[in-house]
Amino acid sequence: MRVLLVEDEIRLARSYQRNLEDEGHLVEVVHDGETAYQRIMREGDHLDLVIMDVVLPGMSGIDVCRAVRGERVRVPILLLTALDQTEEKVAGLDAGADDYLTKPFPFAELLARMRALARRPHHFDPVGEATQLHIGDLTVDTLRHEALRGNTVIPLTAREFALLEYLARNANRVLTRQQLIDRVWPDGTEAGSNVLDTYIHYLREKIDLGAAVKLLRTVRGVGYMLQSPTDRRHSGNSSHPSSPDGGIN
Ligand code: CA
């Protein structure tokens, strides 16, 4: 992968760079947010991944994220956040980051996240493309506006389907409450946390109730995700993986 690494702590940056290069990745390192923004705007299409610290001199990693997403650049962005900074994680995801990793992390965990991002067919905020999405035995058919668990059709209202489709298009990544509200209630009417919780509850009853494998997961303090059985790295609170491989496959 061609990786842009944004980290202001020089020794840390060197160590990440060396490890990534040992794995065969091409790594460019920059040390501040403004330079990162310029590099992404110039090289975005040729980059496979941006790994970016949140706390940077000048523009923060979150500012950079928001700025490049504002320019419709869709390169995957993995943010490095401080331990237990849930607000930072939410702000980062709201700003358009694809994933986050809490420092310090085992290097194997970074590699696992990179593989997961590379496998993900759609980058941030995808438009159109796949018409049938599969998460475990759940099928979301975006042309027929139909969901099936196994062979059983699940009746859904239009709003429930919109919520499920957005979760399915971003399967295996956490979506924040604000992202879900903005997407499913774009006009702002009836938008609110309580309404979202209610719809998540309906959806959970329809797709997960009685199923051996639950797909719709709550990521405490952050939001929700639809998670395939083969991707269990975000089980519960994802901030501290218990195994170095984070449970990938
Ligand atoms: Ca820093």
Side-chain angles (χ1 to χ4, degrees):
M1 291 173 105
R2 267 197 70 179
V3 178
L4 179 69
L5 175 64
V6 190
E7 170 60 74
D8 58 317
E9 290 163 60
I10 308 286
R11 288 181 59 183
L12 214 47
R14 284 227 180 90
S15 139
Y16 296 157
Q17 180 181 21
R18 213 168 16 238
N19 281 311
L20 288 168
E21 286 176 349
D22 284 349
E23 294 290 323
H25 299 292
L26 273 172
V27 185
E28 180 188 352
V29 184
V30 299
H31 303 291
D32 68 275
E34 280 79 6
T35 312
Y37 174 74
Q38 286 162 15
R39 294 306 294 156
I40 295 169
M41 291 311 294
R42 190 170 306 167
E43 297 288 329
D45 290 345
H46 305 292
L47 288 170
D48 298 307
L49 178 67
V50 177
I51 300 172
M52 182 157 55
D53 193 22
V54 166
V55 182
L56 295 167
M59 255 177 123
S60 75
I62 291 170
D63 295 337
V64 175
C65 240
R66 194 174 293 116
V68 302
R69 293 308 187 219
E71 302 289 341
R72 304 195 175 280
V73 176
R74 288 186 182 170
V75 57
I77 298 176
L78 175 69
L79 286 178
L80 307 179
T81 69
L83 191 62
D84 290 335
Q85 295 293 313
T86 299
E87 281 173 25
E88 228 169 51
K89 292 167 192 164
V90 174
L93 293 169
D94 277 342
D98 294 86
D99 203 353
Y100 55 81
L101 198 51
T102 304
K103 289 162 115 179
F105 49 83
F107 192 70
E109 173 68 6
L110 175 61
L111 295 177
R113 297 296 178 93
M114 289 172 71
R115 286 195 295 273
L117 283 170
R119 274 203 306 270
R120 191 176 284 165
H122 304 291
H123 295 156
F124 179 73
D125 203 15
V127 181
E129 295 151 56
T131 59
Q132 276 215 351
L133 307 161
H134 300 278
I135 297 94
D137 64 347
L138 174 73
T139 303
V140 180
D141 188 322
T142 62
L143 284 184
R144 300 162 67 104
H145 272 234
E146 197 173 78
L148 299 97
R149 190 87 207 247
N151 293 319
T152 309
V153 175
I154 303 164
L156 295 171
T157 66
R159 201 74 89 172
E160 288 164 357
F161 187 84
L163 181 59
L164 180 63
E165 179 182 350
Y166 188 43
L167 285 160
R169 285 198 182 280
N170 294 282
N172 302 324
R173 68 172 277 202
V174 186
L175 294 171
T176 67
R177 307 173 64 82
Q178 195 57 50
Q179 285 175 318
L180 291 163
I181 289 168
D182 289 348
R183 172 57 64 111
V184 181
W185 290 271
D187 49 7
T189 57
E190 29 164 353
S193 267
N194 292 342
V195 176
L196 174 64
D197 288 338
T198 305
Y199 273 84
I200 289 283
H201 174 76
Y202 291 154
L203 209 50
R204 193 166 262 152
E205 292 218 313
K206 290 186 176 182
I207 70 166
D208 273 347
L209 195 68
V213 179
K214 313 290 185 203
L215 301 174
L216 183 52
R217 302 177 72 91
T218 302
V219 181
R220 202 169 295 282
V222 180
Y224 297 99
M225 75 188 297
L226 206 54
Q227 187 175 38
S228 58
T230 51
D231 184 327
R232 285 291 168 199
R233 72 209 163 85
H234 275 288
S235 32
N237 187 336
S238 70
S239 65
H240 242 181
S242 52
S243 70
D245 270 322
I248 288 283
N249 296 324

